[in-house]
Amino acid sequence: MLEIIAFDADDTLWHSETYYAEAQARFVEILSPYGETSEQALAVLHRVEIENLPYFGYGFKGFTLSMVQAALSITAGAVRGEHIQELIDLGKTMSGHAVLLLDGVHETVAQLARHHPLMLITKGDLLDQERKISDSGLGDYFQYIEIVSDKTPASYQRLFQRHDINPARFLMIGNSLRSDIAPVLSLGGYAVHVPYHLTWAHEALTDLPAADGRFFQLESITDLPRLIGKIEKEGASGNEERK
Ligand SMILES: [Mg+2]
């Protein structure tokens, strides 16, 4: 009964937020000589990141520019050129990091691809996402790969129209309640939340739309084939993982 199984990429298939956390720790170190506490420095960085989303979008390039802007703001313009250079280099390192798959991802994706058309839906820098998809070795399992600038109900709606997808036969797996789960539930699709151990504050969400038995949480992506089998067998009737 499911026509498309769709996956988020960052922190669902491969590690990503860990690299941001490492960069933030280094950002705090670089700024420490200027007298700001790490909490204050991170609070400024987070505020600047959110303010910059409409300008730069998601991904490491926007994050790098936000580190530079936050450094200028924190030091009232006094940050030294060499420290700006370090922040830019830090951003460049993020673009070259290894793509490390989460446990069980390769086997699970390969298994599901045998019986279902798979779609990858990811947001962020086009170049960076293309590199990660290629380096992941998973590209061939996906019939459709969609790199979008944001994951809102409107952007999912556009994908549904373009690929002629009935949302009631669409299932999305992802780590972000805000980007992967809430919009899909609001459009009538199935959504499976597989939390990652780190969550960017921007992606956290407390209120989910009414799910009517279409929302599930799993600890590991390896439980997905069993869950999908169950959904397809039982349709919209109850089961123990349903929230
Ligand atoms: Mg993600």
Side-chain angles (χ1 to χ4, degrees):
M1 63 162 286
L2 293 171
E3 282 170 7
I4 296 277
I5 313 279
F7 290 78
D8 167 54
D10 287 346
D11 299 321
T12 297
L13 300 180
W14 52 70
H15 295 276
S16 171
E17 192 57 30
T18 37
Y19 296 105
Y20 283 86
E22 281 170 21
Q24 284 177 22
R26 185 67 198 121
F27 169 84
V28 165
E29 277 173 18
I30 293 168
L31 272 291
S32 64
Y34 298 94
E36 208 71 41
T37 67
S38 55
E39 289 77 17
Q40 287 165 327
L42 287 176
V44 174
L45 175 59
H46 181 60
R47 178 178 52 75
V48 171
E49 267 188 276
I50 302 298
E51 285 171 6
N52 281 341
L53 284 176
Y55 300 97
F56 305 138
Y58 294 89
F60 80 93
K61 277 183 270 183
F63 176 72
T64 306
L65 288 168
S66 296
M67 285 196 294
V68 170
Q69 186 183 328
L72 286 164
S73 165
I74 287 164
T75 64
V79 61
R80 294 212 301 274
E82 69 203 68
H83 289 149
I84 297 283
Q85 185 63 56
E86 255 192 90
L87 295 175
I88 293 169
D89 292 343
L90 191 53
K92 285 184 183 166
T93 329
M94 291 177 79
S95 80
H97 69 68
V99 176
L100 296 176
L101 297 185
L102 273 69
D103 287 345
V105 160
H106 200 121
E107 305 87 286
T108 304
V109 169
Q111 185 182 344
L112 288 171
R114 277 186 233 129
H115 303 289
H116 295 87
L118 305 186
M119 180 181 275
L120 186 69
I121 309 176
T122 182
K123 70 182 183 334
D125 294 298
L126 186 59
L127 195 65
D128 188 45
Q129 292 294 333
E130 285 173 342
R131 175 191 74 89
K132 290 199 273 191
I133 292 163
S134 159
D135 288 2
S136 73
L138 298 175
D140 288 346
Y141 295 114
F142 291 94
Q143 193 162 337
Y144 310 99
I145 293 179
E146 295 287 346
I147 303 174
V148 294
S149 54
D150 204 353
K151 287 174 162 177
T152 61
S155 44
Y156 283 99
Q157 188 87 63
R158 278 195 295 275
L159 288 182
F160 292 166
Q161 280 167 358
R162 183 141 47 85
H163 295 286
D164 197 20
I165 294 169
N166 174 0
R169 293 173 180 272
F170 175 87
L171 183 144
M172 175 80 188
I173 301 105
N175 72 298
S176 165
L177 291 173
R178 174 199 285 266
S179 299
D180 307 318
I181 306 301
V184 172
L185 291 177
S186 75
L187 293 170
Y190 287 86
V192 182
H193 184 222
V194 185
Y196 187 70
H197 69 278
L198 293 173
T199 305
W200 181 28
H202 177 65
E203 298 292 351
L205 195 70
T206 44
D207 292 324
L208 281 178
D212 198 20
R214 291 173 288 109
F215 174 52
F216 305 84
Q217 266 178 317
L218 295 178
E219 269 181 39
S220 163
I221 201 166
T222 55
D223 296 328
L224 198 56
R226 191 182 56 85
L227 175 64
I228 286 172
K230 220 167 175 180
I231 292 173
E232 296 202 305
K233 205 161 128 204
E234 298 176 11
S237 65
N239 84 45
E240 82 274 12
E241 284 138 318
R242 212 151 263 177
K243 302 284 167 184

